[in-house]
Amino acid sequence: MGVYAQNTIYTIRKLKMITTQNLTVRFGSQTLFENVNIKFVPGHCYGVIGANGAGKSTLLRVIAGDIEPTSGEVHIQKGMRIAVLKQDHFAYDAYPVIDTVIMGHKRLYDVMKEKEALYAKPDFTDEDGMKVSELETEFAELDGWQAESQAATLLSDLGIEDAKHYELMSELSGSEKVRVLLAQALFGNPDILLLDEPTNHLDITTIKWLEEFLINFQNTVIVVSHDRNFLDKVCTNIADIDYCNIQLYTGNYSFWAQASQLIQKQKEEQNRKTEEKIEELKAFIARFSANASKAAQATSRKNMLDKLTLEDIKPSSRKFPRIRFNYKKIPGKDVLHIDKLNKSIDGQLLIKNFSLDVYQGNKIAFLSRDPMVVTTLFQILAGEIEPDSGKVEWGVTATRSYFPKDNNAYFDTKISLIDWLRQYSEEQHISYIRGYLGRMLFTGEESEKSANVLSGGERVRCMLAKMMVAESNVLIFDEPTNHLDLEAITALNNSLIDFNGTVLFTSQDHEFIQTVADRIVEISPNGWIESYYKYEEYMLNPEMKKKRELLYRDKDAAKK
């Protein structure tokens, strides 16, 4: 490539950069960012990380133009198209699915609709004809003739069946709407792609597809995610929000985590050496300052001492909850026996003739392309709903704690967190309750707040406290990592690795499954697969891949 071509590409990329100048965002007395100066370059994927409340989602909204900064500016070249993963799953209920995707390219959709409206006019004029001609030209320039097929391809790749492409959004399930909104954000090759928790409610297969899409995406991606493996796969850079500043690092999440720990240790070691040198110089000065023959040396040492300073090392603002599960009742060998379990909901068959034996210490990850299948199974195991037929027999020594995917019913109350947790604890003393809340980062006045005002992440931490005080020997988790920050996910992950009891769980977090599960059960209405492979080997093993294809092949037969 010639120098001119290289310079041209550099100039184009430079023009397409996102830059911030003294960016400051405050909400009342709370400062999220202050005088931040950073740039995001095309061809890179930036993973935004930080503690809950640090301002990750706010940063995306400021870049998108949804929130005005308190001061400072965000510079984006005029004409660059920004695509945002929408969070309101009901905003497009009145529109067809295919139209909702094409709306991701607003100008294309507006041209398409204006053109259709003019053609539909009963009194079509010469002026209308000239306008239509202009619109047709722009439509072609925007690749409008390929829009519908490109939208359909995206939908199919994201697991939306062809038959649903022209249905109204209101007819889709919640998880299907999430996929459509993701297709909307990805549609039409935007210049800037802003994704806030794009893997939430996606199955493993779809997450893998999204990873490949973003790896091959040539423009700028800025993503907020709590999925550590996802950040490792797609990110070329990490934007770390801490102490009202945003620091950019080259590399993926794991590289950042290792590098930041190494830098911290190096600073601490340098401080230790500096402290030793200071003490050595002080001792020399104290010993020889009164000695005339050593006075010059003592003065020299004093000058050296004045120049030595300890580097101010701020501990990270991130906080790790202290999660540890114990059990009171010693479990026996036989924990759970499931025999020929069947369950349909609203006429849809979800579980068919499912049988499984669970033994003490098993840690089983349950997978399904339809999350409702695993949720229904866990609701049956927790005693919340009854099966249509079949048996569920718990061992006489088994004690259960259940973490549901939907925890809204638990927090529909104005009582304080102390009183909320006290409901589930045999030990009622306030210091005991406060202790568990403190471990979940609810300290001081935080423990007095009302249960009904908690954020999603705070609710999850309360549910984990509820499970800890129960001291059960069987833990059932339905998507426990949703709404947690990376620190809490890491703490929960490590606690389940250390737990000596039985764990039945489902999650979309790759590393969580890989490090916790010693057994995989994948289930569909057609049947199930039981494997003792570790998760990555299970997903990549050719024999397992064939079995998984067969498991989902005949959906229509499964519904009969």
PDB file of all heavy atoms in Angstrom, residues 38 61 80 112 118 127 140 158 168 183 189 259 269 296 304 306 316 343 555:
ATOM      1  N   ILE A  38     -10.631  11.620  26.504  1.00  0.00           N
ATOM      2  CA  ILE A  38     -10.287  10.319  25.926  1.00  0.00           C
ATOM      3  C   ILE A  38     -10.718  10.297  24.462  1.00  0.00           C
ATOM      4  O   ILE A  38     -11.457  11.175  24.003  1.00  0.00           O
ATOM      5  CB  ILE A  38     -10.963   9.147  26.677  1.00  0.00           C
ATOM      6  CG1 ILE A  38     -12.491   9.366  26.757  1.00  0.00           C
ATOM      7  CG2 ILE A  38     -10.369   8.938  28.047  1.00  0.00           C
ATOM      8  CD1 ILE A  38     -13.230   8.193  27.335  1.00  0.00           C
ATOM      9  N   ARG A  61     -24.940   6.816  27.099  1.00  0.00           N
ATOM     10  CA  ARG A  61     -26.045   7.739  26.806  1.00  0.00           C
ATOM     11  C   ARG A  61     -25.543   9.137  26.474  1.00  0.00           C
ATOM     12  O   ARG A  61     -26.146   9.841  25.660  1.00  0.00           O
ATOM     13  CB  ARG A  61     -27.012   7.769  27.987  1.00  0.00           C
ATOM     14  CG  ARG A  61     -27.713   6.435  28.243  1.00  0.00           C
ATOM     15  CD  ARG A  61     -28.730   6.545  29.363  1.00  0.00           C
ATOM     16  NE  ARG A  61     -29.840   7.407  28.971  1.00  0.00           N
ATOM     17  CZ  ARG A  61     -30.758   7.858  29.813  1.00  0.00           C
ATOM     18  NH1 ARG A  61     -30.679   7.539  31.101  1.00  0.00           N
ATOM     19  NH2 ARG A  61     -31.747   8.624  29.392  1.00  0.00           N
ATOM     20  N   MET A  80     -21.910  10.895  10.999  1.00  0.00           N
ATOM     21  CA  MET A  80     -21.650   9.537  11.462  1.00  0.00           C
ATOM     22  C   MET A  80     -22.899   8.966  12.117  1.00  0.00           C
ATOM     23  O   MET A  80     -23.566   9.636  12.893  1.00  0.00           O
ATOM     24  CB  MET A  80     -20.479   9.519  12.456  1.00  0.00           C
ATOM     25  CG  MET A  80     -19.133   9.806  11.831  1.00  0.00           C
ATOM     26  SD  MET A  80     -17.782   9.709  13.018  1.00  0.00           S
ATOM     27  CE  MET A  80     -17.777   7.971  13.401  1.00  0.00           C
ATOM     28  N   MET A 112     -37.900   5.138   3.137  1.00  0.00           N
ATOM     29  CA  MET A 112     -38.748   4.023   2.707  1.00  0.00           C
ATOM     30  C   MET A 112     -40.225   4.331   2.952  1.00  0.00           C
ATOM     31  O   MET A 112     -41.077   4.135   2.065  1.00  0.00           O
ATOM     32  CB  MET A 112     -38.331   2.754   3.468  1.00  0.00           C
ATOM     33  CG  MET A 112     -39.048   1.488   3.040  1.00  0.00           C
ATOM     34  SD  MET A 112     -38.345   0.030   3.863  1.00  0.00           S
ATOM     35  CE  MET A 112     -38.972   0.249   5.525  1.00  0.00           C
ATOM     36  N   LEU A 118     -46.077   8.307  -0.693  1.00  0.00           N
ATOM     37  CA  LEU A 118     -46.292   9.040  -1.941  1.00  0.00           C
ATOM     38  C   LEU A 118     -46.885   8.130  -3.016  1.00  0.00           C
ATOM     39  O   LEU A 118     -47.803   8.526  -3.750  1.00  0.00           O
ATOM     40  CB  LEU A 118     -44.974   9.642  -2.428  1.00  0.00           C
ATOM     41  CG  LEU A 118     -44.465  10.856  -1.649  1.00  0.00           C
ATOM     42  CD1 LEU A 118     -43.059  11.224  -2.075  1.00  0.00           C
ATOM     43  CD2 LEU A 118     -45.409  12.043  -1.837  1.00  0.00           C
ATOM     44  N   GLU A 127     -45.177  16.908  -9.077  1.00  0.00           N
ATOM     45  CA  GLU A 127     -44.293  17.271  -7.968  1.00  0.00           C
ATOM     46  C   GLU A 127     -43.977  16.053  -7.103  1.00  0.00           C
ATOM     47  O   GLU A 127     -42.838  15.857  -6.671  1.00  0.00           O
ATOM     48  CB  GLU A 127     -44.945  18.366  -7.125  1.00  0.00           C
ATOM     49  CG  GLU A 127     -44.030  18.923  -6.042  1.00  0.00           C
ATOM     50  CD  GLU A 127     -44.696  20.028  -5.231  1.00  0.00           C
ATOM     51  OE1 GLU A 127     -45.745  20.541  -5.666  1.00  0.00           O
ATOM     52  OE2 GLU A 127     -44.156  20.357  -4.159  1.00  0.00           O
ATOM     53  N   ALA A 140     -31.597   3.983  -3.038  1.00  0.00           N
ATOM     54  CA  ALA A 140     -30.605   3.091  -3.643  1.00  0.00           C
ATOM     55  C   ALA A 140     -29.222   3.330  -3.046  1.00  0.00           C
ATOM     56  O   ALA A 140     -28.466   2.385  -2.779  1.00  0.00           O
ATOM     57  CB  ALA A 140     -30.580   3.290  -5.155  1.00  0.00           C
ATOM     58  N   LEU A 158     -29.943 -14.510  14.642  1.00  0.00           N
ATOM     59  CA  LEU A 158     -30.186 -14.307  16.074  1.00  0.00           C
ATOM     60  C   LEU A 158     -31.293 -15.210  16.612  1.00  0.00           C
ATOM     61  O   LEU A 158     -31.742 -15.043  17.738  1.00  0.00           O
ATOM     62  CB  LEU A 158     -30.530 -12.838  16.340  1.00  0.00           C
ATOM     63  CG  LEU A 158     -29.337 -11.882  16.239  1.00  0.00           C
ATOM     64  CD1 LEU A 158     -29.804 -10.432  16.172  1.00  0.00           C
ATOM     65  CD2 LEU A 158     -28.395 -12.074  17.417  1.00  0.00           C
ATOM     66  N   LEU A 168     -46.257  -8.725  14.515  1.00  0.00           N
ATOM     67  CA  LEU A 168     -46.049  -7.531  15.327  1.00  0.00           C
ATOM     68  C   LEU A 168     -45.115  -7.861  16.490  1.00  0.00           C
ATOM     69  O   LEU A 168     -45.119  -8.989  16.999  1.00  0.00           O
ATOM     70  CB  LEU A 168     -47.373  -7.002  15.856  1.00  0.00           C
ATOM     71  CG  LEU A 168     -48.350  -6.403  14.837  1.00  0.00           C
ATOM     72  CD1 LEU A 168     -49.637  -5.973  15.533  1.00  0.00           C
ATOM     73  CD2 LEU A 168     -47.731  -5.225  14.110  1.00  0.00           C
ATOM     74  N   ALA A 183     -30.744  -6.992  16.749  1.00  0.00           N
ATOM     75  CA  ALA A 183     -30.653  -6.932  15.285  1.00  0.00           C
ATOM     76  C   ALA A 183     -30.814  -5.498  14.800  1.00  0.00           C
ATOM     77  O   ALA A 183     -30.135  -5.061  13.862  1.00  0.00           O
ATOM     78  CB  ALA A 183     -31.730  -7.830  14.663  1.00  0.00           C
ATOM     79  N   ASN A 189     -24.632  -1.561   9.222  1.00  0.00           N
ATOM     80  CA  ASN A 189     -23.236  -1.173   9.397  1.00  0.00           C
ATOM     81  C   ASN A 189     -23.067   0.240   9.954  1.00  0.00           C
ATOM     82  O   ASN A 189     -22.514   1.130   9.296  1.00  0.00           O
ATOM     83  CB  ASN A 189     -22.483  -1.288   8.066  1.00  0.00           C
ATOM     84  CG  ASN A 189     -20.977  -1.236   8.255  1.00  0.00           C
ATOM     85  OD1 ASN A 189     -20.447  -1.762   9.227  1.00  0.00           O
ATOM     86  ND2 ASN A 189     -20.284  -0.578   7.333  1.00  0.00           N
ATOM     87  N   ALA A 259      -2.954  -6.947  34.548  1.00  0.00           N
ATOM     88  CA  ALA A 259      -2.046  -5.800  34.505  1.00  0.00           C
ATOM     89  C   ALA A 259      -2.299  -4.840  35.658  1.00  0.00           C
ATOM     90  O   ALA A 259      -1.352  -4.343  36.283  1.00  0.00           O
ATOM     91  CB  ALA A 259      -2.203  -5.068  33.170  1.00  0.00           C
ATOM     92  N   GLU A 269       5.279  -2.385  46.209  1.00  0.00           N
ATOM     93  CA  GLU A 269       6.661  -2.809  46.428  1.00  0.00           C
ATOM     94  C   GLU A 269       7.595  -1.598  46.398  1.00  0.00           C
ATOM     95  O   GLU A 269       8.530  -1.503  47.211  1.00  0.00           O
ATOM     96  CB  GLU A 269       7.074  -3.818  45.353  1.00  0.00           C
ATOM     97  CG  GLU A 269       8.513  -4.295  45.441  1.00  0.00           C
ATOM     98  CD  GLU A 269       8.832  -5.041  46.725  1.00  0.00           C
ATOM     99  OE1 GLU A 269       7.891  -5.494  47.418  1.00  0.00           O
ATOM    100  OE2 GLU A 269      10.030  -5.160  47.046  1.00  0.00           O
ATOM    101  N   ALA A 296      28.537  16.782  57.007  1.00  0.00           N
ATOM    102  CA  ALA A 296      28.281  16.959  55.568  1.00  0.00           C
ATOM    103  C   ALA A 296      27.495  15.777  55.013  1.00  0.00           C
ATOM    104  O   ALA A 296      26.552  15.951  54.229  1.00  0.00           O
ATOM    105  CB  ALA A 296      29.604  17.126  54.825  1.00  0.00           C
ATOM    106  N   MET A 304      18.535  14.011  50.520  1.00  0.00           N
ATOM    107  CA  MET A 304      17.982  12.831  49.852  1.00  0.00           C
ATOM    108  C   MET A 304      16.622  12.473  50.441  1.00  0.00           C
ATOM    109  O   MET A 304      15.671  12.132  49.733  1.00  0.00           O
ATOM    110  CB  MET A 304      18.948  11.641  49.991  1.00  0.00           C
ATOM    111  CG  MET A 304      20.222  11.766  49.191  1.00  0.00           C
ATOM    112  SD  MET A 304      21.371  10.400  49.549  1.00  0.00           S
ATOM    113  CE  MET A 304      20.394   8.971  49.064  1.00  0.00           C
ATOM    114  N   ASP A 306      14.487  14.441  51.875  1.00  0.00           N
ATOM    115  CA  ASP A 306      13.457  15.413  51.491  1.00  0.00           C
ATOM    116  C   ASP A 306      12.882  15.118  50.105  1.00  0.00           C
ATOM    117  O   ASP A 306      11.737  15.480  49.805  1.00  0.00           O
ATOM    118  CB  ASP A 306      14.034  16.832  51.510  1.00  0.00           C
ATOM    119  CG  ASP A 306      14.338  17.297  52.931  1.00  0.00           C
ATOM    120  OD1 ASP A 306      13.748  16.723  53.876  1.00  0.00           O
ATOM    121  OD2 ASP A 306      15.176  18.222  53.087  1.00  0.00           O
ATOM    122  N   SER A 316      -8.911   0.730  44.855  1.00  0.00           N
ATOM    123  CA  SER A 316     -10.003   0.853  43.887  1.00  0.00           C
ATOM    124  C   SER A 316     -11.316   1.114  44.604  1.00  0.00           C
ATOM    125  O   SER A 316     -11.543   0.656  45.726  1.00  0.00           O
ATOM    126  CB  SER A 316     -10.123  -0.439  43.068  1.00  0.00           C
ATOM    127  OG  SER A 316     -11.273  -0.399  42.251  1.00  0.00           O
ATOM    128  N   LYS A 343     -44.027 -31.486  31.698  1.00  0.00           N
ATOM    129  CA  LYS A 343     -44.661 -30.207  32.026  1.00  0.00           C
ATOM    130  C   LYS A 343     -44.905 -29.391  30.759  1.00  0.00           C
ATOM    131  O   LYS A 343     -44.011 -29.199  29.939  1.00  0.00           O
ATOM    132  CB  LYS A 343     -43.778 -29.392  32.981  1.00  0.00           C
ATOM    133  CG  LYS A 343     -44.412 -28.080  33.438  1.00  0.00           C
ATOM    134  CD  LYS A 343     -45.665 -28.295  34.277  1.00  0.00           C
ATOM    135  CE  LYS A 343     -46.276 -26.994  34.734  1.00  0.00           C
ATOM    136  NZ  LYS A 343     -47.510 -27.203  35.527  1.00  0.00           N
ATOM    137  N   LYS A 555     -38.744 -29.367  16.169  1.00  0.00           N
ATOM    138  CA  LYS A 555     -39.499 -28.560  17.128  1.00  0.00           C
ATOM    139  C   LYS A 555     -40.988 -28.821  17.032  1.00  0.00           C
ATOM    140  O   LYS A 555     -41.702 -28.861  18.025  1.00  0.00           O
ATOM    141  CB  LYS A 555     -39.215 -27.069  16.902  1.00  0.00           C
ATOM    142  CG  LYS A 555     -37.786 -26.667  17.205  1.00  0.00           C
ATOM    143  CD  LYS A 555     -37.594 -25.188  17.007  1.00  0.00           C
ATOM    144  CE  LYS A 555     -36.162 -24.779  17.332  1.00  0.00           C
ATOM    145  NZ  LYS A 555     -35.951 -23.329  17.143  1.00  0.00           N
TER     146      LYS A 555
END
